[in-house]
Amino acid sequence: MDEDKMMPRVVQHPHRWLALIALTLLNMLNCADRYVPSACKDLIKDDLQLSDFQTSSLMTAFMVSYILFTPIVAILADRGVPRKAVIVGSVLIWCVASACGCLAVDYWTLLIPRIVVGIGEAGYGTLSQTILSDYFPPEQRALVLGVYDAAVPMGTALGFIGGGFIGQYMGWRYAFLITAIPGVMIILLPFVRMPEPGESEKGSLEIADGKPATMLETLKHLATSPQFLFALAGNIAFAFAKGVMGDWSPTFLSRNHGFTTAIAAAIAAGVGTGGGILGGLTGGIIVRIFTKWNPHLLVSGISAFIAAGFAACFIFALQDNTAFVMGMLALSAYFSWFSNGAVISAIVESAPPKMRARTIGIAAVMSHLLGDAISPSIAGAMSDVTNLRVAMAVYPEALRIAGEVWIVGWIVLHTCARPKKYRLDGNEEEAIPLTN
């Protein structure tokens, strides 16, 4: 009883659930807008006379601008710039830029708005996860971030279905315009009070002198954190796989299985994305149940291995076996998304609250720079030279690599370097070792 009294109490922020709803909805809309060009890829290609490489470079350009502005936003947040203002301004930027895409007359006039969209999403995506981490204590983060990231497959589905059907029946330009409108969801944010960094945890988790961490101090801390390094390395391979699948799956279904643009987008959204939503939530629940063993990387690694097998079956399935193809797509999505909330939670917990915005920013930059920023264009170039089926084969291979890295990382952390976690009392708490 005395020990219970001495333990710090979790701060239950009254706006935490409203914040989770608002930020999750915005995350869904961001992802919907991101994947509209992927749903309309062949329509855009035929209208503007583009190559596969050029259509996929739209995603690459978006990701590059996202990468370049992510650390800038993280630095501004760590220096005290109001996070709510940054998010609202960022959402307005991506809404306007996305709508401008409908005016494109050639490759360059389509490319530039997508670059600006990346700038807008950088401001939102970088801060949202740190805000939720400040609202919820460590033992709830994997599940909460799993809910937040479930919006990614939901947004992908919305982008695929909306872009595919609007593109086929109204034209791809209307798809760009209409999907930008729901950005008015930002009206929810003024009613949400943003928490202070580390508000959900008691104790001082800052640098010794109490000042916000500098970028150099953050980099030094992360360079000595095995949990961060293994989580990031696997996430790079995972992002590479997601980039290929997200940008090319509707086109793959259309070209290799004879579906129309709308139907292919609906299948990719309904089957693949539905599995992804369930997978993200399932992974978060499993991690929470076994949280004292710090299972983030183990769960992610095993699920990535399983997903790689189903992904290979999906890509190399016979063209006339539609039911089998849909089943393999759903199962690969389900198991691959186990890792999303778990890995983000592992990255967040590898740094104290005052470093979290920059930690998320660094992880996002590296994952996108070496992952989904380049993989769509690589697949597009491979498709131009060979065919799309060969290009899609990099998807299961990247998942396999991610699984290997995460499993090895978990073993190392529990045998050689027990992971450090920043808990409610502000001290580092070691996870239970593998031998216990």
Side-chain angles (χ1 to χ4, degrees), residues 86 128 176 187 313 376:
V86 173
S128 297
F176 276 67
I187 62 175
C313 293

Side-chain angles (χ1 to χ4, degrees), residues 62-399:
F62 160 83
M63 293 309 307
V64 168
S65 64
Y66 183 99
I67 290 167
L68 293 177
F69 279 84
T70 290
I72 297 175
V73 172
I75 292 173
L76 291 175
D78 283 343
R79 290 185 176 179
V81 176
R83 292 186 287 186
K84 187 188 300 184
V86 173
I87 291 177
V88 171
S90 299
V91 173
L92 289 174
I93 289 173
W94 73 252
C95 285
V96 173
S98 179
C100 288
C102 71
L103 304 175
V105 294
D106 57 19
Y107 173 67
W108 293 105
T109 53
L110 182 59
L111 183 69
I112 292 173
R114 300 312 297 175
I115 293 174
V116 179
V117 169
I119 296 173
E121 286 203 27
Y124 166 78
T126 304
L127 299 183
S128 297
Q129 295 172 31
T130 65
I131 290 171
L132 291 176
S133 296
D134 291 332
Y135 272 123
F136 295 90
E139 62 270 18
Q140 296 180 3
R141 284 185 192 139
L143 182 57
V144 168
L145 292 175
V147 171
Y148 171 80
D149 283 309
V152 175
M154 291 173 65
T156 303
L158 184 61
F160 282 164
I161 294 175
F165 277 87
I166 295 173
Q168 180 172 330
Y169 295 106
M170 298 178 64
W172 66 267
R173 298 179 188 277
Y174 284 98
F176 276 67
L177 180 62
I178 293 175
T179 53
I181 295 175
V184 295
M185 284 302 305
I186 58 172
I187 62 175
L188 287 177
L189 289 180
F191 299 100
V192 180
R193 186 181 76 78
M194 296 297 171
E196 294 299 321
E199 187 170 317
S200 66
E201 301 164 270
K202 294 291 186 180
S204 176
L205 305 184
E206 303 180 31
I207 311 288
D209 61 5
K211 297 179 181 179
T214 65
M215 180 60 77
L216 181 59
E217 288 169 328
T218 303
L219 290 173
K220 286 181 178 179
H221 173 83
L222 297 178
T224 60
S225 171
Q227 177 165 305
F228 174 80
L229 295 175
F230 278 108
L232 175 61
N235 204 47
I236 290 172
F238 183 70
F240 193 98
K242 284 200 303 181
V244 174
M245 193 63 174
D247 194 42
W248 283 103
S249 57
T251 305
F252 176 78
L253 289 169
S254 179
R255 292 185 189 178
N256 290 75
H257 296 278
F259 297 108
T260 64
T261 298
I263 298 301
I267 292 175
V271 179
T273 307
I277 294 171
L278 295 176
L281 296 176
T282 304
I285 293 171
I286 291 175
V287 169
R288 183 175 184 183
I289 292 174
F290 299 100
T291 187
K292 65 179 180 179
W293 281 281
N294 198 43
H296 304 68
L297 299 186
L298 181 63
V299 172
S300 301
I302 293 174
S303 63
F305 260 120
I306 297 173
F310 287 122
C313 293
F314 162 67
I315 292 168
F316 295 103
L318 297 176
Q319 294 189 8
D320 58 353
N321 198 337
T322 303
F324 180 78
V325 169
M326 293 173 65
M328 294 301 100
L329 174 60
L331 288 171
S332 67
Y334 175 72
F335 284 102
S336 67
W337 278 92
F338 265 50
S339 65
N340 223 42
V343 170
I344 293 173
S345 181
I347 290 173
V348 167
E349 292 176 8
S350 66
K354 287 295 184 179
M355 293 183 182
R356 281 178 186 155
R358 296 190 189 194
T359 297
I360 290 292
I362 291 168
V365 167
M366 296 303 298
S367 297
H368 292 312
L369 181 64
L370 301 178
D372 51 1
I374 59 176
S375 61
S377 293
I378 290 175
M382 291 177 64
S383 178
D384 286 331
V385 175
T386 56
N387 59 68
L388 187 54
R389 190 184 295 273
V390 172
M392 289 286 289
V394 301
Y395 170 57
E397 181 63 16
L399 283 177

